Amino acid sequence: MYAIVDIETTGGHASANGITEIAICLHDGKKVTQRYSTLVNPRREIPIYISALTGITNDMVEQAPPFEDVAADIYHLLHGKIFVAHNVNFDYSFVRYHLGQAGYDLNTNKLCTVRLGRKILPGHASYSLGRLCRSLGIDNESRHRALGDAEATAELFGMMLRADRDDHIKKALKQNSKEQLLPPHLPKADIEALPMMPGIYYFHDDKGKVIYVGKARNIKKRVCSHFTGNNPGPQRQEFLRNIHRVTFKECGTELIAFVLEAVEIKRLWPKYNRSLKRFEHAYGLFVFEDQSGYMRLAVDKRRKFALQPVYTCNSINEGYSIIHSLIDQFELCPKLCFIQRNNSACSGAHAGSCACEGLQLVADYNSKVANAIEGLRNALPTFAIRDEGRNYDEHSCILVERGQFYGMGYIAPGYPTNDLQQLKTQLTPYPGNDYIRNMVINYGEKFPDRMVVF
């Protein structure tokens, strides 16, 4: 038995919205055998634009039963049936969530008439319920009302049952079939084309625009994990509705995938990526000229539109440790570096004749600061990480030059990596950031056998 369901709601996600109407048509594979329909009091205001779409007003549902009062009837109608709907994951997420709130655990097989329609009835310009029904001659005088849409879906589903010569419905119901978990607009062929190897993947909307970039050790497994479960939250429901395509790029290693994901998020700025958009190191080592002309080093928080740091770090203690080292090595003034903040005599190497007392020539002191900055930059590592490629005929290679991420690419297994300039000609430069730099450096420290130090 099939239970063909349609609901009207106060909004687009179950956890913060209510059902205003529900209709269920039980279908035995040949005809509708039973109909159920009721308005539901959602116990919240129905937005004006939804009332305009459905015709269901606050006055109409004021005396209607709340969902928990009809939950038992709905559960017994659906239990043990195959849940069928047009864009089934939307209706199922609402009904399952609100049944759960009423104490009932719904767990049934699902069929989506959008996905089935594309396979069994191909060639239509649109697979929205209204347009598809019109093109097939299915009358629906109660569009956007639960019973009208449920009966139209039942008639549409009956056509599919009769036209399904290739057993698409039977295949979708196989226990190991995951197709009904997929977003309604995502072709199954896109999932079947995904490789089981490291890489990044892109979710596209109906215009082809990238709306999410993800990384994976196993692309296929990770992509499919997005569609498991029945999270009723607003972000996930909207996210799934907007996925129309998935594409991918294979990477030799998970590290390459991590780096490329960060690069692509910065380049494309996808709507549903959030974490890497906001990542920046909190502190930096800055250099600036004071009113007397002396160059001064300081550790401070990174601020938008402020000076560019000569070095970035995760903590203020790391920054102070670097400055202490530069003071000792290049005989800098601790007061001009904001390390000594009291009014006592300067504790630097040239106490009594220090720049902070105006007793050291500006040019001489600034030359020390310039040497310190150059020394810091030269002390930063230059190395390549040589690792597995996408196949046996190549190796992956990531280059860090003077502590900054340069780029990456793929080289032949026998390609020499002892010439830095020659190696750079084989790699693609990419814009870097602190997240990428530290990730690659940490990887090199963890796997020193894969590092080629220059």
Side-chain angles (χ1 to χ4, degrees), residues 84-102:
V84 182
H86 208 70
N87 188 1
V88 70
N89 290 322
F90 173 82
D91 297 76
Y92 188 80
S93 69
F94 261 90
V95 175
R96 188 175 191 274
Y97 176 81
H98 287 284
L99 281 174
Q101 295 295 101

mmCIF file of all heavy atoms in Angstrom, residues 84-102:
data_model
loop_
_atom_site.group_PDB
_atom_site.id
_atom_site.type_symbol
_atom_site.label_atom_id
_atom_site.label_comp_id
_atom_site.label_asym_id
_atom_site.label_seq_id
_atom_site.Cartn_x
_atom_site.Cartn_y
_atom_site.Cartn_z
ATOM 1 N N VAL A 84 4.612 8.447 -0.167
ATOM 2 C CA VAL A 84 4.805 9.017 -1.502
ATOM 3 C C VAL A 84 4.440 10.495 -1.470
ATOM 4 O O VAL A 84 3.401 10.870 -0.909
ATOM 5 C CB VAL A 84 3.930 8.299 -2.563
ATOM 6 C CG1 VAL A 84 4.187 8.867 -3.957
ATOM 7 C CG2 VAL A 84 4.170 6.794 -2.530
ATOM 8 N N ALA A 85 5.266 11.334 -2.055
ATOM 9 C CA ALA A 85 4.944 12.765 -2.144
ATOM 10 C C ALA A 85 5.759 13.389 -3.263
ATOM 11 O O ALA A 85 6.760 12.820 -3.717
ATOM 12 C CB ALA A 85 5.221 13.478 -0.821
ATOM 13 N N HIS A 86 5.315 14.543 -3.699
ATOM 14 C CA HIS A 86 6.045 15.311 -4.702
ATOM 15 C C HIS A 86 7.072 16.150 -3.942
ATOM 16 O O HIS A 86 6.706 17.055 -3.198
ATOM 17 C CB HIS A 86 5.069 16.201 -5.491
ATOM 18 C CG HIS A 86 5.533 16.499 -6.882
ATOM 19 N ND1 HIS A 86 5.576 15.543 -7.875
ATOM 20 C CD2 HIS A 86 6.003 17.645 -7.441
ATOM 21 C CE1 HIS A 86 6.019 16.085 -8.988
ATOM 22 N NE2 HIS A 86 6.296 17.359 -8.758
ATOM 23 N N ASN A 87 8.372 15.842 -4.119
ATOM 24 C CA ASN A 87 9.453 16.344 -3.260
ATOM 25 C C ASN A 87 9.271 15.739 -1.876
ATOM 26 O O ASN A 87 8.965 16.418 -0.889
ATOM 27 C CB ASN A 87 9.489 17.870 -3.188
ATOM 28 C CG ASN A 87 10.724 18.382 -2.452
ATOM 29 O OD1 ASN A 87 11.564 17.599 -2.014
ATOM 30 N ND2 ASN A 87 10.818 19.688 -2.301
ATOM 31 N N VAL A 88 9.432 14.427 -1.791
ATOM 32 C CA VAL A 88 9.039 13.657 -0.615
ATOM 33 C C VAL A 88 9.799 14.057 0.641
ATOM 34 O O VAL A 88 9.235 14.015 1.745
ATOM 35 C CB VAL A 88 9.209 12.144 -0.896
ATOM 36 C CG1 VAL A 88 10.678 11.751 -0.995
ATOM 37 C CG2 VAL A 88 8.501 11.321 0.165
ATOM 38 N N ASN A 89 11.050 14.466 0.526
ATOM 39 C CA ASN A 89 11.819 14.758 1.730
ATOM 40 C C ASN A 89 11.273 15.959 2.490
ATOM 41 O O ASN A 89 11.390 16.036 3.719
ATOM 42 C CB ASN A 89 13.295 14.973 1.387
ATOM 43 C CG ASN A 89 13.971 13.679 0.975
ATOM 44 O OD1 ASN A 89 13.692 12.629 1.542
ATOM 45 N ND2 ASN A 89 14.838 13.735 -0.016
ATOM 46 N N PHE A 90 10.654 16.906 1.793
ATOM 47 C CA PHE A 90 10.041 18.051 2.465
ATOM 48 C C PHE A 90 8.846 17.586 3.295
ATOM 49 O O PHE A 90 8.764 17.836 4.499
ATOM 50 C CB PHE A 90 9.602 19.101 1.438
ATOM 51 C CG PHE A 90 8.821 20.234 2.039
ATOM 52 C CD1 PHE A 90 9.478 21.286 2.655
ATOM 53 C CD2 PHE A 90 7.425 20.257 1.995
ATOM 54 C CE1 PHE A 90 8.757 22.334 3.224
ATOM 55 C CE2 PHE A 90 6.706 21.290 2.557
ATOM 56 C CZ PHE A 90 7.372 22.336 3.171
ATOM 57 N N ASP A 91 7.885 16.907 2.665
ATOM 58 C CA ASP A 91 6.686 16.459 3.378
ATOM 59 C C ASP A 91 7.047 15.482 4.491
ATOM 60 O O ASP A 91 6.513 15.560 5.606
ATOM 61 C CB ASP A 91 5.705 15.796 2.398
ATOM 62 C CG ASP A 91 5.214 16.770 1.345
ATOM 63 O OD1 ASP A 91 5.976 17.077 0.405
ATOM 64 O OD2 ASP A 91 4.076 17.236 1.458
ATOM 65 N N TYR A 92 7.965 14.565 4.191
ATOM 66 C CA TYR A 92 8.330 13.546 5.174
ATOM 67 C C TYR A 92 8.989 14.181 6.399
ATOM 68 O O TYR A 92 8.728 13.780 7.539
ATOM 69 C CB TYR A 92 9.259 12.521 4.532
ATOM 70 C CG TYR A 92 9.537 11.315 5.400
ATOM 71 C CD1 TYR A 92 8.620 10.280 5.502
ATOM 72 C CD2 TYR A 92 10.727 11.204 6.121
ATOM 73 C CE1 TYR A 92 8.865 9.160 6.282
ATOM 74 C CE2 TYR A 92 10.988 10.097 6.908
ATOM 75 C CZ TYR A 92 10.056 9.076 6.991
ATOM 76 O OH TYR A 92 10.309 7.987 7.771
ATOM 77 N N SER A 93 9.860 15.175 6.175
ATOM 78 C CA SER A 93 10.554 15.805 7.304
ATOM 79 C C SER A 93 9.551 16.490 8.234
ATOM 80 O O SER A 93 9.681 16.423 9.461
ATOM 81 C CB SER A 93 11.590 16.815 6.813
ATOM 82 O OG SER A 93 10.990 17.953 6.225
ATOM 83 N N PHE A 94 8.531 17.146 7.667
ATOM 84 C CA PHE A 94 7.510 17.801 8.484
ATOM 85 C C PHE A 94 6.684 16.776 9.255
ATOM 86 O O PHE A 94 6.500 16.888 10.464
ATOM 87 C CB PHE A 94 6.590 18.653 7.602
ATOM 88 C CG PHE A 94 6.937 20.103 7.589
ATOM 89 C CD1 PHE A 94 7.818 20.611 6.649
ATOM 90 C CD2 PHE A 94 6.375 20.975 8.514
ATOM 91 C CE1 PHE A 94 8.135 21.960 6.635
ATOM 92 C CE2 PHE A 94 6.692 22.322 8.505
ATOM 93 C CZ PHE A 94 7.575 22.818 7.557
ATOM 94 N N VAL A 95 6.155 15.784 8.535
ATOM 95 C CA VAL A 95 5.261 14.829 9.168
ATOM 96 C C VAL A 95 6.010 14.022 10.223
ATOM 97 O O VAL A 95 5.517 13.817 11.344
ATOM 98 C CB VAL A 95 4.620 13.900 8.109
ATOM 99 C CG1 VAL A 95 3.783 12.818 8.778
ATOM 100 C CG2 VAL A 95 3.749 14.722 7.146
ATOM 101 N N ARG A 96 7.206 13.569 9.908
ATOM 102 C CA ARG A 96 7.985 12.782 10.866
ATOM 103 C C ARG A 96 8.332 13.605 12.101
ATOM 104 O O ARG A 96 8.257 13.115 13.237
ATOM 105 C CB ARG A 96 9.274 12.268 10.207
ATOM 106 C CG ARG A 96 10.042 11.276 11.063
ATOM 107 C CD ARG A 96 11.237 10.725 10.290
ATOM 108 N NE ARG A 96 11.826 9.591 10.973
ATOM 109 C CZ ARG A 96 12.749 9.690 11.926
ATOM 110 N NH1 ARG A 96 13.195 10.888 12.286
ATOM 111 N NH2 ARG A 96 13.236 8.608 12.506
ATOM 112 N N TYR A 97 8.714 14.872 11.899
ATOM 113 C CA TYR A 97 9.076 15.727 13.028
ATOM 114 C C TYR A 97 7.888 15.951 13.955
ATOM 115 O O TYR A 97 7.992 15.790 15.182
ATOM 116 C CB TYR A 97 9.605 17.074 12.528
ATOM 117 C CG TYR A 97 9.906 18.054 13.642
ATOM 118 C CD1 TYR A 97 11.104 17.974 14.344
ATOM 119 C CD2 TYR A 97 8.991 19.046 13.993
ATOM 120 C CE1 TYR A 97 11.382 18.865 15.370
ATOM 121 C CE2 TYR A 97 9.256 19.934 15.022
ATOM 122 C CZ TYR A 97 10.459 19.837 15.702
ATOM 123 O OH TYR A 97 10.725 20.722 16.735
ATOM 124 N N HIS A 98 6.741 16.302 13.388
ATOM 125 C CA HIS A 98 5.584 16.612 14.232
ATOM 126 C C HIS A 98 4.971 15.359 14.844
ATOM 127 O O HIS A 98 4.439 15.407 15.959
ATOM 128 C CB HIS A 98 4.569 17.434 13.442
ATOM 129 C CG HIS A 98 5.017 18.847 13.218
ATOM 130 N ND1 HIS A 98 4.988 19.800 14.211
ATOM 131 C CD2 HIS A 98 5.545 19.465 12.130
ATOM 132 C CE1 HIS A 98 5.464 20.938 13.747
ATOM 133 N NE2 HIS A 98 5.811 20.764 12.481
ATOM 134 N N LEU A 99 5.070 14.225 14.153
ATOM 135 C CA LEU A 99 4.664 12.972 14.789
ATOM 136 C C LEU A 99 5.593 12.656 15.959
ATOM 137 O O LEU A 99 5.145 12.194 17.021
ATOM 138 C CB LEU A 99 4.688 11.829 13.778
ATOM 139 C CG LEU A 99 3.498 11.730 12.818
ATOM 140 C CD1 LEU A 99 3.736 10.628 11.788
ATOM 141 C CD2 LEU A 99 2.192 11.462 13.571
ATOM 142 N N GLY A 100 6.884 12.913 15.780
ATOM 143 C CA GLY A 100 7.828 12.692 16.868
ATOM 144 C C GLY A 100 7.538 13.564 18.069
ATOM 145 O O GLY A 100 7.635 13.119 19.219
ATOM 146 N N GLN A 101 7.131 14.819 17.811
ATOM 147 C CA GLN A 101 6.772 15.715 18.908
ATOM 148 C C GLN A 101 5.546 15.202 19.654
ATOM 149 O O GLN A 101 5.379 15.480 20.847
ATOM 150 C CB GLN A 101 6.496 17.123 18.372
ATOM 151 C CG GLN A 101 7.698 17.814 17.755
ATOM 152 C CD GLN A 101 8.788 18.086 18.778
ATOM 153 O OE1 GLN A 101 9.783 17.362 18.852
ATOM 154 N NE2 GLN A 101 8.604 19.101 19.589
ATOM 155 N N ALA A 102 4.694 14.453 18.951
ATOM 156 C CA ALA A 102 3.485 13.901 19.577
ATOM 157 C C ALA A 102 3.710 12.500 20.148
ATOM 158 O O ALA A 102 2.769 11.876 20.648
ATOM 159 C CB ALA A 102 2.352 13.865 18.548
#
